[in-house]
Every structure is written in structure tokens, then in C-alpha cells.
Amino acid sequence: MIKLTDLTKAYRTDEIETTALNKVSVEVKKGEFVSIMGPSGCGKSTLLNIIGLLDSPESGSYEFDGKELANLKEKERASIRKQNIGFIFQSFNLIDELTVFENVELPLVYLKVPKSERQTKVLKILEKMGIAHRAKHYPQQLSGGQQQRVAVARAVVTEPKLILADEPTGNLDSAHGNEVMDILTKLHESGSTIIMVTHSSHDANYSERIIKLLDGEVVSQLSGERVSVI
């Protein structure tokens, strides 16, 4: 599904150049759950942003479903991103002025899905996430765990081919963090492809494979221990 070959990316100021990615090559199969780990500044977020088409590499190849995406213009990247990728962020990134229902509905509005179909899809995913009873509430009225459930619902309501999670439990206590990881595991078991950036070895072990980065390079790819979900 995803094939990255010799990706490079550097950030420059007037005085210094920092290499974020140095000839990174990675493949992710359809339906796989992969974690990306490494110390701060190792290139994890840069790699996730390129995979999510929020940024582009300076050189190298990025194939998604057999199509080369590395050199697309922003408008083209945005179109593919909206149709194929769901994002889950550490900080939830919910819109305070919108209800839970409206937050989850937003990606469908952008895709111009008819209103009646939007309502059906949103209610279905809220039920699946166990937060349908909070549909008319606002983000500030929810716990951190509930807000992240809303964020997950928003990410998957369009049934994207790929889910990208950036430290999805970073702002949660261990109990709510485990709930979110259980949700991601069930999404994976239902066929979703998931790539997750995390500092947590515990969270990484929910995945099938752990890619470790150091100084912008892949240093290892190991199988996760696969935490069981009851």
C-alpha cells in the first residue's frame, strides 16, 4: 500500500541545516498496524507528515496504492489526503464551537456527502465509539478520553484507506490511553491500515511491527508483542 524509497528531508535556517530524514525506505502493507518510535528530533513527525501529505520530501519516492505522490503540488496532495487519510492527533484538535456530532461530521461536509447520508454515518460511528449519548455536547464538556474517542470517530467516519495517529494517548492517563489503543486495535482487526507515532513501548506493542528511527534513519524494524484486546 505504501512504499517509501530513499526519502530525504532537511530544514534550514541562515546558520544551520538539520537533516530530519536521511534516505528512509519503508513499506507498509494494506491492513497492517505499524508503530514508529525514536527519541525526540529523530524524524518521526516529519515522516508521518510526509506520509499524511502534510509535507513533501526533498528527494526520494513515495508510492501510495501504486501512485507516486512525492512531487505533487499542495492542491493535489490535499485532494488525495481528504479522500484517503484519517488523522488522530495528541491534542485532539476538536473545534470547541462545534458539537460532537458536528466535529465528526466535518470531514463528510468537506467531501460533499449528502446531509442524510452524513447523519447516518456519523451516528453509526458515534455508536461504535460508545459516545452517541454525547452527540449534542461540546468538547469542553467531555473528559480527555471522550474527546479522543471523538477525534478517532472523526478520523474514521470517511472510511479512509489509512489512519495516521500521532501520539494518540499522549494527553491521556493510562486507563483512557488503553481505551484508545483498544479502539485502534479493533479498527485494525476490522481491516484498517494504521501508522502510529509513539514514545510509549506499551502502546507500540499493540502494533504488528515497530520501526525505530535515530537521527533521521531507520535503525530497526521489529515485530510488536501484540497486546491482546478482550
Side-chain angles (χ1 to χ4, degrees), residues 62-125:
Y62 172 17
E63 292 183 26
F64 185 94
D65 271 354
K67 182 178 180 180
E68 179 59 58
L69 306 183
N71 300 310
L72 294 182
K73 295 180 179 179
E74 170 53 29
K75 186 175 181 179
E76 296 172 303
R77 293 206 311 267
S79 177
I80 294 173
R81 189 168 61 235
K82 285 192 295 185
Q83 296 177 50
N84 295 281
I85 303 174
F87 293 88
I88 303 168
F89 300 98
Q90 176 179 345
S91 56
F92 315 140
N93 284 12
L94 301 177
I95 299 173
D96 289 341
E97 294 76 20
L98 299 182
T99 64
V100 165
F101 184 98
E102 291 166 339
N103 267 282
V104 176
E105 181 186 33
L106 204 54
L108 299 172
V109 174
Y110 291 149
L111 291 175
K112 297 181 170 58
V113 174
K115 185 174 181 179
S116 60
E117 187 178 344
R118 293 202 306 265
Q119 184 170 17
T120 300
K121 285 179 175 291
V122 172
L123 291 176
K124 182 178 179 181
I125 198 65

